[in-house]
Amino acid sequence: MITLGDMSDHYAFVVGLRALRDYQPKPITEEDMTAILEAARWTGSSKNLQNWSFVVVDEPGVKSRFADCGKFTVPIRNAPAAIAIIEEPGGYEFDSGRVAQNIMLAAAAIGIASCPITIHSHQKAAEVLGLPEGRKCRYAVSLGYPAPNAGPKFKGGRKPLDELVHHNRYS
Ligand SMILES: Cc1cc2nc3c(=O)[nH]c(=O)nc-3n(C[C@H](O)[C@H](O)[C@H](O)COP(=O)(O)O)c2cc1C
């Protein structure tokens, strides 16, 4: 558990996280993948229900068919591995988002690049991943050691705070 103190490095780390889509071809070590999955496991969820599970997709044939389940899945094709985030019965999409962010932050902390991926064809993904009835994969995260040229695809940065923030009432 981290303690609150001088958090400037942590703050810069959080603010600096970017989706990276270019990876080295080498596989992710078991130790690194386990560390990422541990961080996923420790994500907070609604009522601490933890209604999620994870499918590590790293077998090339399965990875290719999984990539066919979304419209913008080139990062999965390029990556040595992806984690499919599975909503178990009673799971919330919000919780899947939190898991994805934890996966990305933990990966970055150990030098692994990542990109969140939308899975558009839920039925097809369920077939590819062998999901039992009632489980759904809406999102995945591609993972790999960053290629030397890895950088954000969309250069726009972020909207300024004064476009985003209201106080007490939306105005
Ligand atoms: C819910 C969600 C779904 C996304 N789906 C995809 C996707 O299918 N393919 C992809 O390449 N990037 C996807 N992204 C990544 C976004 O394009 C990325 O977060 C955004 O462009 C900001 O990138 P940056 O952090 O590098 O600036 C997704 C992001 C989110 C939050």
Side-chain angles (χ1 to χ4, degrees):
M1 190 167 69
I2 56 172
T3 52
L4 297 177
D6 178 4
M7 303 294 276
S8 55
D9 287 352
H10 303 290
Y11 183 84
F13 178 74
V14 170
V15 171
L17 183 72
R18 290 294 173 272
L20 299 176
R21 298 171 174 81
D22 296 298
Y23 313 104
Q24 298 172 40
K26 65 177 182 179
I28 293 179
T29 66
E30 194 178 327
E31 183 188 10
D32 283 350
M33 183 58 81
T34 300
I36 292 167
L37 291 166
E38 271 295 316
R41 180 171 85 85
W42 275 100
T43 306
S45 59
S46 174
K47 298 176 187 160
N48 199 23
L49 289 171
Q50 306 166 64
N51 281 336
W52 50 46
S53 55
F54 312 108
V55 180
V56 178
V57 182
D58 56 4
E59 198 280 307
V62 180
K63 196 163 65 64
S64 171
R65 284 189 287 131
F66 185 50
D68 292 340
C69 300
K71 296 178 188 166
F72 310 107
T73 55
V74 171
I76 289 183
R77 297 189 196 282
N78 290 344
I83 296 176
I85 299 167
I86 313 302
E87 272 178 43
E88 294 287 322
Y92 294 102
E93 192 170 358
F94 185 86
D95 290 345
S96 293
R98 292 200 65 197
V99 164
Q101 188 76 355
N102 251 28
I103 287 172
M104 292 184 70
L105 286 167
I110 57 173
I112 292 176
S114 66
C115 183
I117 301 292
T118 307
I119 300 303
H120 295 89
S121 177
H122 304 145
Q123 186 55 44
K124 193 170 174 180
E127 286 163 27
V128 171
L129 302 175
L131 303 185
E133 188 69 25
R135 276 77 174 170
K136 184 181 268 191
C137 177
R138 298 178 198 262
Y139 300 104
V141 180
S142 59
L143 294 159
Y145 299 100
N149 65 333
K153 180 176 176 185
F154 302 103
K155 307 290 184 199
R158 298 293 189 264
K159 296 177 182 176
L161 274 186
D162 61 11
E163 273 185 36
L164 305 172
V165 180
H166 308 268
H167 291 277
N168 302 310
R169 284 176 63 79
Y170 192 107
S171 54

PDB file of all heavy atoms in Angstrom, residues 16-21 70-75 93 97 101 104 115-120 138-140 142 151-158, ligand 1:
ATOM      1  N   GLY A  16       0.799  11.170 -17.321  1.00  0.00           N
ATOM      2  CA  GLY A  16       1.573  10.887 -18.532  1.00  0.00           C
ATOM      3  C   GLY A  16       1.200   9.594 -19.242  1.00  0.00           C
ATOM      4  O   GLY A  16       1.760   9.297 -20.299  1.00  0.00           O
ATOM      5  N   LEU A  17       0.265   8.840 -18.698  1.00  0.00           N
ATOM      6  CA  LEU A  17      -0.091   7.564 -19.335  1.00  0.00           C
ATOM      7  C   LEU A  17      -0.687   7.800 -20.722  1.00  0.00           C
ATOM      8  O   LEU A  17      -1.595   8.628 -20.874  1.00  0.00           O
ATOM      9  CB  LEU A  17      -1.112   6.808 -18.472  1.00  0.00           C
ATOM     10  CG  LEU A  17      -1.515   5.424 -19.012  1.00  0.00           C
ATOM     11  CD1 LEU A  17      -0.366   4.430 -18.855  1.00  0.00           C
ATOM     12  CD2 LEU A  17      -2.767   4.910 -18.314  1.00  0.00           C
ATOM     13  N   ARG A  18      -0.204   7.083 -21.734  1.00  0.00           N
ATOM     14  CA  ARG A  18      -0.724   7.195 -23.093  1.00  0.00           C
ATOM     15  C   ARG A  18      -0.994   5.808 -23.657  1.00  0.00           C
ATOM     16  O   ARG A  18      -0.349   4.837 -23.260  1.00  0.00           O
ATOM     17  CB  ARG A  18       0.287   7.916 -24.003  1.00  0.00           C
ATOM     18  CG  ARG A  18       0.445   9.404 -23.690  1.00  0.00           C
ATOM     19  CD  ARG A  18      -0.821  10.202 -23.974  1.00  0.00           C
ATOM     20  NE  ARG A  18      -0.744  11.569 -23.526  1.00  0.00           N
ATOM     21  CZ  ARG A  18      -1.069  12.002 -22.302  1.00  0.00           C
ATOM     22  NH1 ARG A  18      -1.501  11.154 -21.386  1.00  0.00           N
ATOM     23  NH2 ARG A  18      -0.961  13.254 -21.979  1.00  0.00           N
ATOM     24  N   ALA A  19      -1.944   5.770 -24.587  1.00  0.00           N
ATOM     25  CA  ALA A  19      -2.200   4.519 -25.313  1.00  0.00           C
ATOM     26  C   ALA A  19      -1.105   4.340 -26.357  1.00  0.00           C
ATOM     27  O   ALA A  19      -0.917   5.217 -27.213  1.00  0.00           O
ATOM     28  CB  ALA A  19      -3.567   4.590 -25.976  1.00  0.00           C
ATOM     29  N   LEU A  20      -0.407   3.233 -26.285  1.00  0.00           N
ATOM     30  CA  LEU A  20       0.695   2.970 -27.222  1.00  0.00           C
ATOM     31  C   LEU A  20       0.389   1.694 -28.001  1.00  0.00           C
ATOM     32  O   LEU A  20      -0.012   0.677 -27.424  1.00  0.00           O
ATOM     33  CB  LEU A  20       2.025   2.855 -26.467  1.00  0.00           C
ATOM     34  CG  LEU A  20       2.437   4.121 -25.682  1.00  0.00           C
ATOM     35  CD1 LEU A  20       3.717   3.872 -24.895  1.00  0.00           C
ATOM     36  CD2 LEU A  20       2.608   5.317 -26.608  1.00  0.00           C
ATOM     37  N   ARG A  21       0.593   1.773 -29.326  1.00  0.00           N
ATOM     38  CA  ARG A  21       0.124   0.704 -30.222  1.00  0.00           C
ATOM     39  C   ARG A  21       1.237  -0.013 -30.978  1.00  0.00           C
ATOM     40  O   ARG A  21       0.944  -0.881 -31.800  1.00  0.00           O
ATOM     41  CB  ARG A  21      -0.860   1.304 -31.231  1.00  0.00           C
ATOM     42  CG  ARG A  21      -2.101   1.900 -30.600  1.00  0.00           C
ATOM     43  CD  ARG A  21      -2.915   2.672 -31.615  1.00  0.00           C
ATOM     44  NE  ARG A  21      -4.177   3.147 -31.087  1.00  0.00           N
ATOM     45  CZ  ARG A  21      -4.332   4.246 -30.338  1.00  0.00           C
ATOM     46  NH1 ARG A  21      -3.277   4.979 -30.009  1.00  0.00           N
ATOM     47  NH2 ARG A  21      -5.522   4.603 -29.914  1.00  0.00           N
ATOM     48  N   GLY A  70     -13.382  -6.813 -33.180  1.00  0.00           N
ATOM     49  CA  GLY A  70     -13.491  -5.364 -33.002  1.00  0.00           C
ATOM     50  C   GLY A  70     -13.108  -4.646 -34.278  1.00  0.00           C
ATOM     51  O   GLY A  70     -12.510  -5.243 -35.186  1.00  0.00           O
ATOM     52  N   LYS A  71     -13.459  -3.368 -34.347  1.00  0.00           N
ATOM     53  CA  LYS A  71     -13.222  -2.606 -35.588  1.00  0.00           C
ATOM     54  C   LYS A  71     -11.848  -1.935 -35.626  1.00  0.00           C
ATOM     55  O   LYS A  71     -11.377  -1.569 -36.693  1.00  0.00           O
ATOM     56  CB  LYS A  71     -14.297  -1.518 -35.734  1.00  0.00           C
ATOM     57  CG  LYS A  71     -15.699  -2.074 -35.887  1.00  0.00           C
ATOM     58  CD  LYS A  71     -16.700  -0.934 -35.979  1.00  0.00           C
ATOM     59  CE  LYS A  71     -18.122  -1.455 -35.941  1.00  0.00           C
ATOM     60  NZ  LYS A  71     -19.110  -0.398 -35.694  1.00  0.00           N
ATOM     61  N   PHE A  72     -11.274  -1.694 -34.467  1.00  0.00           N
ATOM     62  CA  PHE A  72      -9.999  -0.941 -34.407  1.00  0.00           C
ATOM     63  C   PHE A  72      -8.973  -1.729 -33.589  1.00  0.00           C
ATOM     64  O   PHE A  72      -8.442  -1.243 -32.587  1.00  0.00           O
ATOM     65  CB  PHE A  72     -10.231   0.447 -33.805  1.00  0.00           C
ATOM     66  CG  PHE A  72     -11.365   1.191 -34.448  1.00  0.00           C
ATOM     67  CD1 PHE A  72     -12.570   1.353 -33.786  1.00  0.00           C
ATOM     68  CD2 PHE A  72     -11.239   1.684 -35.739  1.00  0.00           C
ATOM     69  CE1 PHE A  72     -13.634   2.016 -34.389  1.00  0.00           C
ATOM     70  CE2 PHE A  72     -12.295   2.345 -36.357  1.00  0.00           C
ATOM     71  CZ  PHE A  72     -13.497   2.510 -35.677  1.00  0.00           C
ATOM     72  N   THR A  73      -8.746  -2.952 -34.035  1.00  0.00           N
ATOM     73  CA  THR A  73      -7.980  -3.888 -33.206  1.00  0.00           C
ATOM     74  C   THR A  73      -6.553  -4.124 -33.702  1.00  0.00           C
ATOM     75  O   THR A  73      -5.922  -5.094 -33.278  1.00  0.00           O
ATOM     76  CB  THR A  73      -8.718  -5.241 -33.145  1.00  0.00           C
ATOM     77  OG1 THR A  73      -8.924  -5.678 -34.483  1.00  0.00           O
ATOM     78  CG2 THR A  73     -10.043  -5.122 -32.422  1.00  0.00           C
ATOM     79  N   VAL A  74      -6.066  -3.236 -34.552  1.00  0.00           N
ATOM     80  CA  VAL A  74      -4.678  -3.411 -35.019  1.00  0.00           C
ATOM     81  C   VAL A  74      -3.705  -3.559 -33.846  1.00  0.00           C
ATOM     82  O   VAL A  74      -2.777  -4.380 -33.907  1.00  0.00           O
ATOM     83  CB  VAL A  74      -4.267  -2.244 -35.957  1.00  0.00           C
ATOM     84  CG1 VAL A  74      -2.779  -2.285 -36.281  1.00  0.00           C
ATOM     85  CG2 VAL A  74      -5.081  -2.318 -37.242  1.00  0.00           C
ATOM     86  N   PRO A  75      -3.889  -2.803 -32.753  1.00  0.00           N
ATOM     87  CA  PRO A  75      -2.951  -2.995 -31.636  1.00  0.00           C
ATOM     88  C   PRO A  75      -2.936  -4.431 -31.108  1.00  0.00           C
ATOM     89  O   PRO A  75      -1.869  -4.917 -30.707  1.00  0.00           O
ATOM     90  CB  PRO A  75      -3.471  -2.025 -30.562  1.00  0.00           C
ATOM     91  CG  PRO A  75      -4.178  -0.958 -31.342  1.00  0.00           C
ATOM     92  CD  PRO A  75      -4.819  -1.683 -32.501  1.00  0.00           C
ATOM     93  N   GLU A  93     -20.008  -2.149 -16.493  1.00  0.00           N
ATOM     94  CA  GLU A  93     -19.072  -1.629 -17.496  1.00  0.00           C
ATOM     95  C   GLU A  93     -18.071  -0.665 -16.844  1.00  0.00           C
ATOM     96  O   GLU A  93     -16.899  -0.624 -17.207  1.00  0.00           O
ATOM     97  CB  GLU A  93     -19.859  -0.931 -18.605  1.00  0.00           C
ATOM     98  CG  GLU A  93     -19.028  -0.615 -19.816  1.00  0.00           C
ATOM     99  CD  GLU A  93     -19.862  -0.152 -20.999  1.00  0.00           C
ATOM    100  OE1 GLU A  93     -21.103  -0.114 -20.896  1.00  0.00           O
ATOM    101  OE2 GLU A  93     -19.254   0.200 -22.022  1.00  0.00           O
ATOM    102  N   GLY A  97     -13.916  -0.601 -16.967  1.00  0.00           N
ATOM    103  CA  GLY A  97     -13.076   0.555 -17.285  1.00  0.00           C
ATOM    104  C   GLY A  97     -12.001   0.765 -16.243  1.00  0.00           C
ATOM    105  O   GLY A  97     -10.845   1.072 -16.574  1.00  0.00           O
ATOM    106  N   GLN A 101      -7.870   0.572 -16.749  1.00  0.00           N
ATOM    107  CA  GLN A 101      -6.920   1.616 -16.357  1.00  0.00           C
ATOM    108  C   GLN A 101      -5.846   1.055 -15.413  1.00  0.00           C
ATOM    109  O   GLN A 101      -4.666   1.403 -15.540  1.00  0.00           O
ATOM    110  CB  GLN A 101      -7.666   2.787 -15.688  1.00  0.00           C
ATOM    111  CG  GLN A 101      -6.813   4.002 -15.415  1.00  0.00           C
ATOM    112  CD  GLN A 101      -6.511   4.842 -16.649  1.00  0.00           C
ATOM    113  OE1 GLN A 101      -6.862   4.469 -17.755  1.00  0.00           O
ATOM    114  NE2 GLN A 101      -5.878   5.975 -16.466  1.00  0.00           N
ATOM    115  N   MET A 104      -3.381  -0.811 -17.471  1.00  0.00           N
ATOM    116  CA  MET A 104      -2.492   0.087 -18.222  1.00  0.00           C
ATOM    117  C   MET A 104      -1.453   0.739 -17.318  1.00  0.00           C
ATOM    118  O   MET A 104      -0.276   0.854 -17.687  1.00  0.00           O
ATOM    119  CB  MET A 104      -3.318   1.150 -18.942  1.00  0.00           C
ATOM    120  CG  MET A 104      -4.182   0.588 -20.070  1.00  0.00           C
ATOM    121  SD  MET A 104      -5.045   1.870 -20.983  1.00  0.00           S
ATOM    122  CE  MET A 104      -3.692   2.680 -21.850  1.00  0.00           C
ATOM    123  N   CYS A 115      -2.772  -0.522 -24.886  1.00  0.00           N
ATOM    124  CA  CYS A 115      -3.840   0.265 -25.518  1.00  0.00           C
ATOM    125  C   CYS A 115      -5.180  -0.374 -25.184  1.00  0.00           C
ATOM    126  O   CYS A 115      -5.339  -1.596 -25.346  1.00  0.00           O
ATOM    127  CB  CYS A 115      -3.631   0.300 -27.031  1.00  0.00           C
ATOM    128  SG  CYS A 115      -4.852   1.325 -27.886  1.00  0.00           S
ATOM    129  N   PRO A 116      -6.147   0.440 -24.726  1.00  0.00           N
ATOM    130  CA  PRO A 116      -7.496  -0.119 -24.529  1.00  0.00           C
ATOM    131  C   PRO A 116      -8.133  -0.395 -25.880  1.00  0.00           C
ATOM    132  O   PRO A 116      -7.931   0.370 -26.832  1.00  0.00           O
ATOM    133  CB  PRO A 116      -8.259   0.996 -23.791  1.00  0.00           C
ATOM    134  CG  PRO A 116      -7.445   2.223 -23.920  1.00  0.00           C
ATOM    135  CD  PRO A 116      -6.087   1.867 -24.441  1.00  0.00           C
ATOM    136  N   ILE A 117      -8.895  -1.477 -25.969  1.00  0.00           N
ATOM    137  CA  ILE A 117      -9.491  -1.895 -27.241  1.00  0.00           C
ATOM    138  C   ILE A 117     -10.974  -2.198 -27.047  1.00  0.00           C
ATOM    139  O   ILE A 117     -11.350  -2.907 -26.105  1.00  0.00           O
ATOM    140  CB  ILE A 117      -8.791  -3.174 -27.772  1.00  0.00           C
ATOM    141  CG1 ILE A 117      -7.297  -2.935 -27.982  1.00  0.00           C
ATOM    142  CG2 ILE A 117      -9.468  -3.668 -29.046  1.00  0.00           C
ATOM    143  CD1 ILE A 117      -6.941  -1.977 -29.088  1.00  0.00           C
ATOM    144  N   THR A 118     -11.792  -1.685 -27.948  1.00  0.00           N
ATOM    145  CA  THR A 118     -13.222  -1.984 -27.909  1.00  0.00           C
ATOM    146  C   THR A 118     -13.497  -3.273 -28.678  1.00  0.00           C
ATOM    147  O   THR A 118     -13.036  -3.430 -29.819  1.00  0.00           O
ATOM    148  CB  THR A 118     -14.019  -0.846 -28.575  1.00  0.00           C
ATOM    149  OG1 THR A 118     -13.635   0.387 -27.962  1.00  0.00           O
ATOM    150  CG2 THR A 118     -15.512  -1.064 -28.417  1.00  0.00           C
ATOM    151  N   ILE A 119     -14.216  -4.156 -28.046  1.00  0.00           N
ATOM    152  CA  ILE A 119     -14.655  -5.387 -28.709  1.00  0.00           C
ATOM    153  C   ILE A 119     -16.114  -5.165 -29.112  1.00  0.00           C
ATOM    154  O   ILE A 119     -17.001  -5.083 -28.254  1.00  0.00           O
ATOM    155  CB  ILE A 119     -14.505  -6.599 -27.750  1.00  0.00           C
ATOM    156  CG1 ILE A 119     -13.033  -6.760 -27.326  1.00  0.00           C
ATOM    157  CG2 ILE A 119     -15.049  -7.866 -28.387  1.00  0.00           C
ATOM    158  CD1 ILE A 119     -12.040  -6.934 -28.464  1.00  0.00           C
ATOM    159  N   HIS A 120     -16.340  -5.031 -30.415  1.00  0.00           N
ATOM    160  CA  HIS A 120     -17.686  -4.680 -30.885  1.00  0.00           C
ATOM    161  C   HIS A 120     -18.588  -5.905 -31.003  1.00  0.00           C
ATOM    162  O   HIS A 120     -19.785  -5.821 -30.769  1.00  0.00           O
ATOM    163  CB  HIS A 120     -17.593  -3.965 -32.240  1.00  0.00           C
ATOM    164  CG  HIS A 120     -16.896  -2.641 -32.167  1.00  0.00           C
ATOM    165  ND1 HIS A 120     -15.533  -2.503 -32.319  1.00  0.00           N
ATOM    166  CD2 HIS A 120     -17.383  -1.394 -31.927  1.00  0.00           C
ATOM    167  CE1 HIS A 120     -15.197  -1.229 -32.188  1.00  0.00           C
ATOM    168  NE2 HIS A 120     -16.293  -0.535 -31.954  1.00  0.00           N
ATOM    169  N   ARG A 138     -16.486  -6.771 -23.465  1.00  0.00           N
ATOM    170  CA  ARG A 138     -16.676  -5.496 -24.186  1.00  0.00           C
ATOM    171  C   ARG A 138     -15.348  -4.835 -24.504  1.00  0.00           C
ATOM    172  O   ARG A 138     -15.260  -4.051 -25.430  1.00  0.00           O
ATOM    173  CB  ARG A 138     -17.449  -4.495 -23.316  1.00  0.00           C
ATOM    174  CG  ARG A 138     -18.839  -4.866 -22.917  1.00  0.00           C
ATOM    175  CD  ARG A 138     -19.346  -3.731 -22.028  1.00  0.00           C
ATOM    176  NE  ARG A 138     -20.491  -4.106 -21.231  1.00  0.00           N
ATOM    177  CZ  ARG A 138     -21.743  -3.817 -21.576  1.00  0.00           C
ATOM    178  NH1 ARG A 138     -21.981  -3.170 -22.679  1.00  0.00           N
ATOM    179  NH2 ARG A 138     -22.738  -4.174 -20.790  1.00  0.00           N
ATOM    180  N   TYR A 139     -14.353  -5.092 -23.671  1.00  0.00           N
ATOM    181  CA  TYR A 139     -13.081  -4.387 -23.807  1.00  0.00           C
ATOM    182  C   TYR A 139     -11.917  -5.342 -23.579  1.00  0.00           C
ATOM    183  O   TYR A 139     -12.040  -6.356 -22.885  1.00  0.00           O
ATOM    184  CB  TYR A 139     -12.981  -3.224 -22.799  1.00  0.00           C
ATOM    185  CG  TYR A 139     -14.064  -2.208 -22.990  1.00  0.00           C
ATOM    186  CD1 TYR A 139     -15.149  -2.155 -22.128  1.00  0.00           C
ATOM    187  CD2 TYR A 139     -14.018  -1.319 -24.067  1.00  0.00           C
ATOM    188  CE1 TYR A 139     -16.178  -1.245 -22.331  1.00  0.00           C
ATOM    189  CE2 TYR A 139     -15.030  -0.406 -24.274  1.00  0.00           C
ATOM    190  CZ  TYR A 139     -16.107  -0.377 -23.397  1.00  0.00           C
ATOM    191  OH  TYR A 139     -17.121   0.524 -23.611  1.00  0.00           O
ATOM    192  N   ALA A 140     -10.795  -4.952 -24.153  1.00  0.00           N
ATOM    193  CA  ALA A 140      -9.541  -5.673 -23.922  1.00  0.00           C
ATOM    194  C   ALA A 140      -8.438  -4.627 -23.829  1.00  0.00           C
ATOM    195  O   ALA A 140      -8.651  -3.441 -24.117  1.00  0.00           O
ATOM    196  CB  ALA A 140      -9.275  -6.649 -25.068  1.00  0.00           C
ATOM    197  N   SER A 142      -4.431  -4.348 -25.163  1.00  0.00           N
ATOM    198  CA  SER A 142      -3.261  -4.945 -25.824  1.00  0.00           C
ATOM    199  C   SER A 142      -2.011  -4.563 -25.029  1.00  0.00           C
ATOM    200  O   SER A 142      -1.940  -3.474 -24.447  1.00  0.00           O
ATOM    201  CB  SER A 142      -3.147  -4.467 -27.269  1.00  0.00           C
ATOM    202  OG  SER A 142      -3.037  -3.058 -27.318  1.00  0.00           O
ATOM    203  N   GLY A 151       4.460   5.845 -29.807  1.00  0.00           N
ATOM    204  CA  GLY A 151       4.018   7.167 -29.363  1.00  0.00           C
ATOM    205  C   GLY A 151       2.527   7.279 -29.578  1.00  0.00           C
ATOM    206  O   GLY A 151       1.939   6.443 -30.274  1.00  0.00           O
ATOM    207  N   PRO A 152       1.886   8.291 -29.006  1.00  0.00           N
ATOM    208  CA  PRO A 152       0.442   8.415 -29.151  1.00  0.00           C
ATOM    209  C   PRO A 152       0.035   8.565 -30.618  1.00  0.00           C
ATOM    210  O   PRO A 152       0.730   9.226 -31.394  1.00  0.00           O
ATOM    211  CB  PRO A 152       0.096   9.675 -28.360  1.00  0.00           C
ATOM    212  CG  PRO A 152       1.284   9.980 -27.529  1.00  0.00           C
ATOM    213  CD  PRO A 152       2.468   9.374 -28.208  1.00  0.00           C
ATOM    214  N   LYS A 153      -1.089   7.963 -31.001  1.00  0.00           N
ATOM    215  CA  LYS A 153      -1.580   8.039 -32.377  1.00  0.00           C
ATOM    216  C   LYS A 153      -2.273   9.373 -32.625  1.00  0.00           C
ATOM    217  O   LYS A 153      -2.123   9.984 -33.669  1.00  0.00           O
ATOM    218  CB  LYS A 153      -2.565   6.883 -32.604  1.00  0.00           C
ATOM    219  CG  LYS A 153      -3.150   6.821 -33.987  1.00  0.00           C
ATOM    220  CD  LYS A 153      -4.027   5.578 -34.091  1.00  0.00           C
ATOM    221  CE  LYS A 153      -4.732   5.500 -35.433  1.00  0.00           C
ATOM    222  NZ  LYS A 153      -5.676   4.359 -35.469  1.00  0.00           N
ATOM    223  N   PHE A 154      -3.059   9.818 -31.661  1.00  0.00           N
ATOM    224  CA  PHE A 154      -3.803  11.070 -31.797  1.00  0.00           C
ATOM    225  C   PHE A 154      -3.072  12.146 -31.009  1.00  0.00           C
ATOM    226  O   PHE A 154      -2.855  12.006 -29.805  1.00  0.00           O
ATOM    227  CB  PHE A 154      -5.237  10.904 -31.283  1.00  0.00           C
ATOM    228  CG  PHE A 154      -5.971   9.807 -32.012  1.00  0.00           C
ATOM    229  CD1 PHE A 154      -6.157   8.565 -31.428  1.00  0.00           C
ATOM    230  CD2 PHE A 154      -6.455  10.017 -33.295  1.00  0.00           C
ATOM    231  CE1 PHE A 154      -6.824   7.544 -32.105  1.00  0.00           C
ATOM    232  CE2 PHE A 154      -7.128   9.006 -33.984  1.00  0.00           C
ATOM    233  CZ  PHE A 154      -7.306   7.762 -33.384  1.00  0.00           C
ATOM    234  N   LYS A 155      -2.701  13.211 -31.686  1.00  0.00           N
ATOM    235  CA  LYS A 155      -1.767  14.170 -31.081  1.00  0.00           C
ATOM    236  C   LYS A 155      -2.471  15.318 -30.349  1.00  0.00           C
ATOM    237  O   LYS A 155      -1.833  16.245 -29.906  1.00  0.00           O
ATOM    238  CB  LYS A 155      -0.855  14.772 -32.161  1.00  0.00           C
ATOM    239  CG  LYS A 155      -0.143  13.738 -33.028  1.00  0.00           C
ATOM    240  CD  LYS A 155       0.933  12.986 -32.266  1.00  0.00           C
ATOM    241  CE  LYS A 155       1.671  12.030 -33.192  1.00  0.00           C
ATOM    242  NZ  LYS A 155       2.391  10.972 -32.485  1.00  0.00           N
ATOM    243  N   GLY A 156      -3.775  15.253 -30.273  1.00  0.00           N
ATOM    244  CA  GLY A 156      -4.524  16.418 -29.793  1.00  0.00           C
ATOM    245  C   GLY A 156      -4.376  16.773 -28.331  1.00  0.00           C
ATOM    246  O   GLY A 156      -4.890  17.802 -27.895  1.00  0.00           O
ATOM    247  N   GLY A 157      -3.696  15.955 -27.560  1.00  0.00           N
ATOM    248  CA  GLY A 157      -3.603  16.251 -26.129  1.00  0.00           C
ATOM    249  C   GLY A 157      -4.969  16.140 -25.474  1.00  0.00           C
ATOM    250  O   GLY A 157      -5.729  15.232 -25.781  1.00  0.00           O
ATOM    251  N   ARG A 158      -5.292  17.077 -24.611  1.00  0.00           N
ATOM    252  CA  ARG A 158      -6.572  17.011 -23.893  1.00  0.00           C
ATOM    253  C   ARG A 158      -7.236  18.381 -23.870  1.00  0.00           C
ATOM    254  O   ARG A 158      -6.570  19.419 -23.958  1.00  0.00           O
ATOM    255  CB  ARG A 158      -6.343  16.543 -22.445  1.00  0.00           C
ATOM    256  CG  ARG A 158      -5.761  15.150 -22.307  1.00  0.00           C
ATOM    257  CD  ARG A 158      -6.712  14.068 -22.778  1.00  0.00           C
ATOM    258  NE  ARG A 158      -6.225  12.730 -22.437  1.00  0.00           N
ATOM    259  CZ  ARG A 158      -5.538  11.942 -23.252  1.00  0.00           C
ATOM    260  NH1 ARG A 158      -5.233  12.361 -24.484  1.00  0.00           N
ATOM    261  NH2 ARG A 158      -5.144  10.742 -22.853  1.00  0.00           N
TER     262      ARG A 158
HETATM  263  C1  LIG B   1     -13.341   2.957 -23.945  1.00  0.00           C
HETATM  264  C2  LIG B   1     -12.158   3.070 -24.884  1.00  0.00           C
HETATM  265  C3  LIG B   1     -12.121   2.308 -26.031  1.00  0.00           C
HETATM  266  C4  LIG B   1     -11.036   2.395 -26.907  1.00  0.00           C
HETATM  267  N1  LIG B   1     -11.001   1.582 -28.008  1.00  0.00           N
HETATM  268  C5  LIG B   1      -9.921   1.625 -28.818  1.00  0.00           C
HETATM  269  C6  LIG B   1      -9.835   0.737 -29.923  1.00  0.00           C
HETATM  270  O1  LIG B   1     -10.731  -0.080 -30.197  1.00  0.00           O
HETATM  271  N2  LIG B   1      -8.716   0.783 -30.690  1.00  0.00           N
HETATM  272  C7  LIG B   1      -7.683   1.667 -30.430  1.00  0.00           C
HETATM  273  O2  LIG B   1      -6.699   1.654 -31.164  1.00  0.00           O
HETATM  274  N3  LIG B   1      -7.753   2.534 -29.383  1.00  0.00           N
HETATM  275  C8  LIG B   1      -8.839   2.526 -28.573  1.00  0.00           C
HETATM  276  N4  LIG B   1      -8.900   3.348 -27.485  1.00  0.00           N
HETATM  277  C9  LIG B   1      -7.758   4.251 -27.178  1.00  0.00           C
HETATM  278  C10 LIG B   1      -8.088   5.718 -27.439  1.00  0.00           C
HETATM  279  O3  LIG B   1      -8.005   5.982 -28.820  1.00  0.00           O
HETATM  280  C11 LIG B   1      -7.109   6.559 -26.629  1.00  0.00           C
HETATM  281  O4  LIG B   1      -7.393   6.362 -25.259  1.00  0.00           O
HETATM  282  C12 LIG B   1      -7.216   8.040 -26.926  1.00  0.00           C
HETATM  283  O5  LIG B   1      -6.959   8.284 -28.277  1.00  0.00           O
HETATM  284  C13 LIG B   1      -6.243   8.844 -26.069  1.00  0.00           C
HETATM  285  O6  LIG B   1      -4.960   8.374 -26.338  1.00  0.00           O
HETATM  286  P1  LIG B   1      -3.673   8.933 -25.553  1.00  0.00           P
HETATM  287  O7  LIG B   1      -3.859   8.607 -24.116  1.00  0.00           O
HETATM  288  O8  LIG B   1      -2.513   8.215 -26.178  1.00  0.00           O
HETATM  289  O9  LIG B   1      -3.613  10.414 -25.784  1.00  0.00           O
HETATM  290  C14 LIG B   1      -9.977   3.279 -26.618  1.00  0.00           C
HETATM  291  C15 LIG B   1     -10.025   4.038 -25.447  1.00  0.00           C
HETATM  292  C16 LIG B   1     -11.083   3.931 -24.588  1.00  0.00           C
HETATM  293  C17 LIG B   1     -11.087   4.769 -23.316  1.00  0.00           C
END
